Amino acid sequence: MNGMFLISIIPFFILVLLFLFVPLFFMLYSSFQGEGGSGFTFKQYLEIFQNTYYHQAFKNSIIISFFSSLIAIVLAVFATYSITLFSKKIQDRILVFANLTANFAGIPLAFAFIVILGNSGLFTLLFKHFGWDLLNSFNLYSWSGLVLIYIYFQLPLAVMLIYPVYQGIQAQWKESAALLGASPLQFWLRIGGPIILPSIAGTFSILFANAMGAYASAFALTGSTYNLVTIRIGALTTGDIFARPELGSAIATLLGLTLVVALLINEWLTRRIRRDLS
């Protein structure tokens, strides 16, 4: 039985090796190579640390990822709680819709927002027709537009990740708190909130990593006009003028390290929260 089990999981390990570890190894190897693979060097990393253009790319990516994840997680906390107030049948339908929305990203998402809120978008022309100035100060092809798109695909993902946490809060706890004279707000501040807080922190880290790695939506919306890490990697790999895959590999490596540091910080905060609650 054990032998059959080991044989059956061999294809899985081969898949992981070919599509995860092999590309990761070649990315790391390429990041320490000179132009055209001319030998071992730290030149690519030195250029990144000395060039303010790449500093700006990391800064922009971190800021937009942080704010979009923060807004999405706050909205998801309240939205998910509202979902739990419906019947089980309606909850299942909403979760199916959330799952579909979370996977609606990339170029189709950017195109949909351009059709709706672009310079000649449906709502833009409609508001102009009625003389409303609701979108006069909004530019879809700017930082605010990117944040809006990021929130769009981050929010349903956060809802699906937080929903099981609310299911773990038993009705008996609410009833016991009510019998002791606690209001619903007091229950969530003193009992429910601390219970779901570690999961919220973990969800935030997933959203942050998801936003840091987003590429297609941002590129389809702004092209190379907005300086993000993923857009810089794509430009260096495919070559806006000429390709520099070694430099792109170095930036990708630093992006991965940024995500690892963010996850480690989140893990430390989650453990500290759980320790303080115990």
Side-chain angles (χ1 to χ4, degrees), residues 11-262:
F12 169 75
F13 285 111
I14 294 176
L15 188 68
V16 171
L17 178 67
L18 293 179
F19 289 93
L20 181 61
F21 289 105
V22 172
L24 178 62
F25 170 78
F26 278 103
M27 182 188 72
L28 292 173
Y29 175 79
S30 178
S31 69
F32 290 101
Q33 293 293 302
E35 303 297 335
S38 57
F40 183 85
T41 179
F42 289 99
K43 176 184 175 182
Q44 313 300 344
Y45 291 98
L46 291 175
E47 181 175 349
I48 295 171
F49 290 123
Q50 294 172 356
N51 195 326
T52 57
Y53 188 61
Y54 298 123
H55 299 172
Q56 184 189 51
F58 277 94
K59 179 182 177 181
N60 290 341
S61 293
I62 292 173
I63 291 176
I64 195 173
S65 299
F66 177 81
F67 279 103
S68 63
S69 301
L70 181 62
I71 296 172
I73 198 70
V74 172
L75 294 176
V77 167
F78 292 99
T80 309
Y81 175 71
S82 300
I83 293 173
T84 60
L85 301 179
F86 292 101
S87 64
K88 184 63 177 176
K89 184 177 181 180
I90 296 179
Q91 291 182 35
D92 293 338
R93 292 181 177 178
I94 293 176
L95 290 177
V96 170
F97 178 76
N99 188 21
L100 293 174
T101 308
N103 288 282
F104 183 64
I107 295 177
L109 176 61
F111 178 74
F113 269 86
I114 292 173
V115 170
I116 296 174
L117 297 174
N119 294 333
S120 300
L122 174 64
F123 286 107
T124 304
L125 297 179
L126 183 65
F127 290 164
K128 285 182 179 179
H129 176 75
F130 288 104
W132 301 338
D133 58 353
L134 298 177
L135 295 177
N136 286 353
S137 60
F138 176 75
N139 183 11
L140 179 64
Y141 310 101
S142 64
W143 188 85
S144 56
L146 284 174
V147 171
L148 180 62
I149 285 185
Y150 276 50
I151 292 174
Y152 182 88
F153 65 78
Q154 295 272 67
L155 179 57
L157 176 61
V159 168
M160 290 189 296
L161 293 174
I162 296 177
Y163 177 77
V165 181
Y166 278 101
Q167 299 302 306
I169 297 179
Q170 302 179 16
Q172 293 89 334
W173 299 348
K174 299 180 181 179
E175 295 170 357
S176 299
L179 289 175
L180 294 174
S183 65
L185 179 60
Q186 289 175 323
F187 169 80
W188 285 108
L189 289 177
R190 297 179 178 273
I191 302 175
I195 291 175
I196 67 174
L197 190 57
S199 298
I200 291 176
T203 300
F204 177 82
S205 68
I206 295 175
L207 296 181
F208 180 82
N210 187 45
M212 284 290 292
Y215 169 73
S217 297
F219 181 76
L221 188 67
T222 64
S224 298
T225 59
Y226 199 81
N227 193 14
L228 296 175
V229 173
T230 51
I231 292 179
R232 293 280 65 78
I233 295 172
L236 290 168
T237 303
T238 59
D240 281 349
I241 301 177
F242 56 90
R244 299 184 62 187
E246 295 81 12
L247 181 58
S249 297
I251 296 177
T253 301
L254 293 178
L255 174 60
L257 290 176
T258 303
L259 296 180
V260 170
V261 171

